[in-house]
Amino acid sequence: MPAKILLALDTADVATALAQARVMGDAVDGIKLGLEFFLAQGPAGVKAVAALGRPIFLDLKFHDIPNTVAGAIRSALALRPMMLNVHGSGGPAMLAAAAATVREAGSARPLLIAVTVLTSLGDQDLAAVGQMPWAAGQARKLAALAKAQGCDGVVCAGSDIAAIRAGCGPDFKLVVPGLRPASAAVQDQKRVMTPGEAARLGADFLVIGRPITGAADPVAAARAIRREVAEVGTP
């Protein structure tokens, strides 16, 4: 099955988010809403975008003590996201608490995804905060931990797809941000890849924002990425 495209709406304005989501049609498979939008618009904003009928990836990256994360997820479940995430570096107890709380939603449960290493971070950044091994090794370690504690998958850089897929199996979901078509600027990302290459390696979800929303014709840009992914097929 081809990788699914999630449009990252990096805006604080609900009217902009609604307009960008509405115009996409079938060019994307879902919408990612993050901290910028959530802190400006709150649950009501998420509900407004979800009312368009698009699956929502609620990208809030919870990272706190287990009880607090469990409570935050319990509140987020009321928004009925398709997917939500936590930081894998929160540790085994936090990940286990998150997984147990997600299961409370029963058949309506969202996918629980753990963030490994942000794609804006490189080896020197991790060394600066005392994290070892380097980015690739840390991503593999956190992916294995997330799987062991009941998470459905991870957010990872494209360069980590092959190793994590080999270590965690075919059913473990890989959500890949930091994607840029060959013609797009890298901007603030350090570990980037094209959407087609990420799909070829086995990504399940491709998170793409500025290369679509910042394009002169966002729908055409999204459709071009969809064609690129479709041509790759299923790995």
Side-chain angles (χ1 to χ4, degrees), residues 12-177:
D13 182 65
V14 69
T16 299
L18 288 169
Q20 290 178 336
R22 191 178 288 118
V23 76
M24 281 295 143
D26 62 357
V28 300
D29 300 295
I31 302 296
K32 181 189 83 75
L33 297 173
L35 284 169
E36 180 181 4
F37 183 84
F38 190 80
L39 290 175
Q41 301 297 334
V46 176
K47 290 177 181 178
V49 177
L52 297 176
R54 298 304 185 89
I56 300 295
F57 170 21
L58 194 57
D59 178 27
L60 301 182
K61 300 184 182 72
F62 298 127
H63 189 168
D64 212 309
I65 64 172
N67 187 63
T68 297
V69 167
I73 289 176
R74 196 167 286 115
S75 294
L77 291 177
L79 300 174
R80 300 182 68 84
M82 173 268 293
M83 180 191 302
L84 54 77
N85 59 4
V86 298
H87 268 290
S89 55
M94 190 203 80
L95 293 173
T101 306
V102 162
R103 289 194 295 271
E104 293 175 8
S107 61
R109 70 181 294 273
L111 294 172
L112 177 65
I113 305 297
V115 177
T116 55
V117 179
L118 297 173
T119 52
S120 60
L121 299 177
D123 292 342
Q124 291 183 339
D125 300 300
L126 293 188
V129 296
Q131 287 193 24
M132 294 291 285
W134 302 129
Q138 181 75 345
R140 291 194 297 270
K141 179 186 292 186
L142 291 175
L145 175 64
K147 182 177 181 181
Q149 299 305 319
C151 294
D152 299 295
V154 293
V155 177
C156 68
S159 55
D160 299 324
I161 294 172
I164 293 175
R165 177 65 72 213
C168 295
D171 298 326
F172 198 62
K173 303 300 182 185
L174 302 185
V175 181
V176 183

Side-chain angles (χ1 to χ4, degrees), residues 183-201:
S183 60
V186 172
Q187 296 170 310
D188 57 356
Q189 302 292 334
K190 293 187 177 178
R191 295 179 297 135
V192 301
M193 180 175 285
T194 67
E197 180 66 5
R200 185 188 68 78
L201 288 171

Side-chain angles (χ1 to χ4, degrees), residues 7-8 10 179-181 184-189 208-215 221:
L7 176 64
D10 297 319
L179 299 172
R180 298 289 185 270
V186 172
Q187 296 170 310
D188 57 356
Q189 302 292 334
I208 306 172
R210 287 169 285 183
I212 295 176
T213 59

